[in-house]
């Protein structure tokens, strides 16, 4: 994410740096770019991600603004993506996979725009265990 034009954010000095100045006053740092772990970093990222998703053709869910859906025909086949955003993580469900799929096109464009890392199949999300078999997704919470 990026700070908006004219936006100024300060934070405490990170561990290992002097927290008090020579004058005895606490030192603070001016943030030039939100970084992972900063309280505002996820929101700053969402501020640039959400408009990009809408430009890409995703529809934002009315009941949960962090969920997006898109359906497109690719090679004559209707394909669907459902994307959830939690802070600075994305969770993607897709109907088709493969080199020419909507999912592949989306993840390629996403990686071109941002430095993202695919962490592979999800096994848990917000205390919900997730597993799959040939034709279903199983959600379990204890």
């Amino acid at each position: 994410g990026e700070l908006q034009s004219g936006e100024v954010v300060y934070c405490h000095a990170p561990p290992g740096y002097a927290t008090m100045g020579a004058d005895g006053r606490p030192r603070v740092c001016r943030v030039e770019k939100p970084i992972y772990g900063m309280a505002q970093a996820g929101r700053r990222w969402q501020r640039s991600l959400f408009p990009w998703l809408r430009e890409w053709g995703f529809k934002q869910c009315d009941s949960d603004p962090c969920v997006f859906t898109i359906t497109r025909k690719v090679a004559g086949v209707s394909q669907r993506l459902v994307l959830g955003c939690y802070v600075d993580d994305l969770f993607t469900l897709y109907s088709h996979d493969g080199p020419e799929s909507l999912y592949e096109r989306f993840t390629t464009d996403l990686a071109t725009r941002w430095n993202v890392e695919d962490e592979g199949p999800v096994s848990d999300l917000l205390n919900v265990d997730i597993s799959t078999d040939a034709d279903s997704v199983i959600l379990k919470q204890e």
Side-chain angles (χ1 to χ4, degrees):
E2 302 293 329
L3 296 175
Q4 290 182 335
S5 179
E7 183 177 17
V8 178
V9 175
Y10 294 95
C11 67
H12 295 284
Y17 287 84
T19 57
M20 299 298 278
D23 59 3
R25 294 186 348 198
R27 284 190 173 199
V28 294
C29 298
R30 182 174 176 171
V31 175
E32 292 186 10
K33 180 177 175 116
I35 58 172
Y36 183 80
M38 243 181 87
Q40 303 93 344
R43 180 67 189 120
R44 299 304 194 278
W45 183 65
Q46 290 174 7
R47 237 180 3 213
S48 60
L49 173 69
F50 287 8
W52 182 84
L53 290 172
R54 287 188 292 270
E55 286 174 19
W56 215 84
F58 279 87
K59 302 288 185 230
Q60 198 166 14
C61 183
D62 290 332
S63 59
D64 187 336
C66 291
V67 175
F68 294 80
T69 62
I70 187 171
T71 303
R72 278 194 190 157
K73 280 201 174 197
V74 177
V77 177
S78 184
Q79 299 185 18
R80 184 175 180 122
L81 292 177
V82 178
L83 183 102
C85 181
Y86 179 72
V87 186
D88 59 358
D89 288 327
L90 295 178
F91 176 78
T92 308
L93 298 170
Y94 48 92
S95 61
H96 295 76
D97 196 6
E100 295 299 318
S101 67
L102 181 60
Y103 171 73
E104 186 64 31
R105 291 177 183 184
F106 169 71
T107 56
T108 298
D109 284 357
L110 184 70
T112 300
R113 175 69 172 85
W114 286 282
N115 180 22
V116 295
E117 182 178 327
D118 184 348
E119 296 181 357
V122 66
S123 60
D124 67 273
L125 179 70
L126 302 174
N127 267 348
V128 177
D129 294 326
I130 303 169
S131 60
T132 60
D133 59 26
D135 58 320
S136 63
V137 177
I138 300 139
L139 306 175
K140 184 171 81 173
Q141 189 173 29
E142 292 185 27

